[in-house]
Amino acid sequence: MAASAVPFIILLLVLLAAAGTRASPPASETVEQICARATSSGAHRDLAPFCVSSLQAAPGSSGADARGLAAIATNLTLANYTAAVATVKALQRRSGWSAAERGALATCRARYIEALNVVHSAVHALAKGRLDDYAADMGVVRKAATDCDGAFGGAGNSSESGAAPAASPMRKVNRDAVDLTTVATLIVRALE
């Protein structure tokens, strides 16, 4: 997919999410309250600010209930993973990568493309109310980002002088992907 198509896809997904939440009755909880409840476990409390800022930026989130926010978070994940594929493609077009780095980028691209198919499955599971299937799908989706991180961890990025490895060019993309996927899953688990 061309990088110029990514903003259009993101806009389309956000509009679809917003349109889907307008028919909902007024939300009894705010984005802040839903994020606080979803991230209340000790291991995920640090994600509350990320949850709030990510979801508040999406049109339709202010009037959405928890199920609507779960749909918005899932659509944001889809948009994020689509953008990750575009980022990997752009990085692959650059020269100067070692063989190990080229291999890591290829791994990242393959994992993110595979994850896009699974996000679509998660969207359908959420729409059908199959929350366990949704959580399982999103676990697979999250693994794409961790696999990408792992691919760079083994890329041998250290310099000949023995300096520390260079940071992965996908580090922020992967972190955002993991955080979005985790937030979406936590919100869905809070529905149960």
Side-chain angles (χ1 to χ4, degrees), residues 34-47:
I34 292 169
C35 286
R37 185 166 44 91
T39 61
S40 64
S41 71
H44 300 294
R45 285 184 189 187
D46 61 324
L47 286 177

Side-chain angles (χ1 to χ4, degrees), residues 1-166:
M1 174 176 314
S4 63
V6 172
F8 175 75
I9 290 171
I10 293 170
L11 177 63
L12 179 63
L13 291 171
V14 170
L15 291 175
L16 287 173
T21 59
R22 285 193 187 131
S24 300
S28 59
E29 290 183 287
T30 64
V31 171
E32 293 89 350
Q33 291 168 324
I34 292 169
C35 286
R37 185 166 44 91
T39 61
S40 64
S41 71
H44 300 294
R45 285 184 189 187
D46 61 324
L47 286 177
F50 178 85
C51 177
V52 171
S53 63
S54 297
L55 293 176
Q56 281 183 337
S61 63
S62 64
D65 61 5
R67 187 170 292 280
L69 287 180
I72 290 169
T74 306
N75 284 331
L76 288 173
T77 300
L78 180 60
N80 176 272
Y81 277 56
T82 301
V85 171
T87 298
V88 173
K89 287 179 181 179
L91 289 169
Q92 287 177 315
R93 285 191 291 271
R94 285 191 195 164
S95 61
W97 299 112
S98 69
E101 290 167 328
R102 285 191 307 272
L105 286 169
T107 296
C108 292
R109 184 174 178 171
R111 296 299 183 270
Y112 274 108
I113 289 171
E114 292 164 3
L116 283 172
N117 292 325
V118 182
V119 173
H120 290 288
S121 176
V123 167
H124 292 292
L126 181 61
K128 299 285 186 190
R130 296 187 332 259
L131 303 184
D132 288 339
D133 292 343
Y134 175 89
D137 285 345
M138 292 302 274
V140 171
V141 170
R142 184 180 316 106
K143 190 166 178 347
T146 58
D147 286 351
C148 179
D149 264 346
F152 274 99
N157 292 347
S158 62
S159 69
E160 302 221 356
S161 66

Side-chain angles (χ1 to χ4, degrees), residues 163-191:
S168 162
M170 294 293 291
R171 180 164 290 154
K172 177 155 179 23
V173 172
N174 292 334
R175 180 80 257 142
D176 288 347
V178 167
D179 288 350
L180 269 173
T181 308
T182 302
V183 162
T185 304
L186 291 172
I187 291 171
V188 168
R189 285 192 176 143
L191 295 174

